[in-house]
Amino acid sequence: MDYEMIATETQGRVGLILLNRPKALNALCDQLMTELGDALRGYDNDTAIGAIVVTGSERAFAAGADIKEMQNRTHPATALDDFIGKTWEVVTTIRKPVIAAVAGYALGGGCELAMMCDIVLAADTAKFGQPEINLGVIPGAGGTQRLTRAVGKSKAMEMILTGRMMDAAEAERANLVARVVPAADLIAEAVKLGETIAGMSPVATAIAKRAVNRAYETTLAEGVGYERATFLSLFGTPHQREGMSAFIEKRKPEFS
Ligand code: CAA
């Protein structure tokens, strides 16, 4: 697929996806989300890639779903069309770790897109918010659920009911992001993080991602049971042998 609204590039074993619709602050229209889904799937199926970074511009990661595109949507046509579901949910089906590198605005669907990723790395310029209430609607791509799980009920309620934005320092304190870095270093730090992940066993990485995500979907007992079963399934695999032998032999493991 030729892309118009995103750009892709690989840096080592990291697949980089740049949201590239600057005039609309990367508003997430259908075409952009279709292109993003296609690029994510492409990297997911590429054995040379071990991790994916999604980023925007200095000014905006993404300022939300495209309000101009949504303005005249009506129900039930919108529901029958599976608006959001058919393009956005792709992000949650990717097996490889996806890092959101966020600078500037991550609002509405932009914040939700970041939260669908596995790790959020924020520039010190990042601003997160769910301002849909100002438009007479509510978040529609998981914001009420993922923000609440990330920052807790009180702060999620405040943000969703008032549309207030959170700066990067507050987002880090609230556990919405893994780490805050200077804006100038954002992409380099995200790629470095992706390279670290890509250097691990791809099997253990995919299973670890799935197991952490289980924590959001199931009870503690079932989640721990899933973890135990998948942990045990890794024994006897070439990567378990290599990882443990390398430790004992005091060398760096080679996970091919
Ligand atoms: N959709 C469509 N266009 C958007 C947009 C969006 N979400 N956000 C910004 N733009 C456009 C603006 O319309 C403007 O275009 P024009 O120059 O053609 O008028 C351009 O991007 C630049 O924006 P501003 O002039 O508004 O820039 P600013 O610096 O003054 O303000 C901002 C920046 C605070 C982010 C402001 O643009 C804003 O509030 N944007 C909307 C944020 C929002 O409400 N997001 C939620 C969308 S709904 C949603 O996401 C639903 C869901 O859960 C899936």
Side-chain angles (χ1 to χ4, degrees):
M1 190 191 264
D2 285 335
Y3 299 130
E4 275 177 37
M5 298 194 172
I6 64 167
T8 60
E9 108 182 35
T10 55
Q11 291 194 18
R13 299 203 52 206
V14 179
L16 195 59
I17 302 176
L18 181 77
L19 309 179
N20 189 23
R21 207 186 160 206
K23 285 191 182 135
L25 299 184
N26 292 333
L28 303 166
C29 61
D30 270 347
Q31 183 182 338
L32 190 154
M33 290 310 295
T34 303
E35 292 183 8
L36 175 62
D38 185 78
L40 284 169
R41 275 203 211 93
Y43 282 142
D44 210 24
N45 293 328
D46 181 345
T47 51
I49 294 297
I52 303 166
V53 171
V54 178
T55 194
S57 66
E58 279 177 30
R59 198 167 159 218
F61 176 72
D66 190 318
I67 300 167
K68 292 168 189 165
E69 200 175 66
M70 280 187 296
Q71 183 189 14
N72 295 317
R73 280 187 173 273
T74 53
H75 189 75
T78 291
L80 291 172
D81 184 35
D82 194 19
F83 174 52
I84 301 289
K86 89 179 159 201
T87 46
W88 293 59
E89 291 299 331
V90 173
V91 183
T92 63
T93 66
I94 303 303
R95 290 157 294 161
K96 289 175 185 163
V98 183
I99 300 162
V102 177
Y105 296 112
L107 300 179
C111 186
E112 291 168 302
L113 173 60
M115 292 191 292
M116 282 179 184
C117 297
D118 301 305
I119 301 175
V120 185
L121 205 60
D124 47 14
T125 57
K127 284 191 188 325
F128 298 87
Q130 297 289 164
E132 291 89 343
I133 200 80
N134 294 317
L135 302 169
V137 293
I138 69 166
T144 59
Q145 306 304 301
R146 291 196 178 93
L147 186 66
T148 306
R149 281 166 163 81
V151 308
K153 176 175 166 179
S154 188
K155 199 178 272 285
M157 278 287 188
E158 189 208 3
M159 290 181 69
I160 289 167
L161 298 183
T162 68
R164 178 176 81 79
M165 288 185 218
M166 222 191 244
D167 66 16
E170 184 179 358
E172 187 178 30
R173 282 198 304 277
N175 292 328
L176 182 58
V177 308
R179 205 150 41 89
V180 179
V181 300
D185 303 338
L186 179 68
I187 308 277
E189 285 287 340
V191 170
K192 195 165 125 198
L193 176 58
E195 274 294 355
T196 301
I197 292 168
M200 307 297 176
S201 155
V203 181
T205 298
I207 290 179
K209 167 170 168 161
R210 227 178 281 168
V212 172
N213 280 330
R214 274 289 164 115
Y216 286 91
E217 313 287 349
T218 189
T219 63
L220 179 63
E222 280 174 21
V224 170
Y226 178 82
E227 179 197 87
R228 188 73 36 81
T230 48
F231 168 71
L232 296 176
S233 77
L234 289 169
F235 283 83
T237 62
H239 290 170
Q240 175 260 333
R241 282 166 201 262
E242 168 61 10
M244 294 192 181
S245 303
F247 175 80
I248 290 160
E249 292 160 16
K250 300 189 187 302
R251 61 177 174 80
K252 209 171 169 295
E254 283 292 331
F255 298 118
S256 53

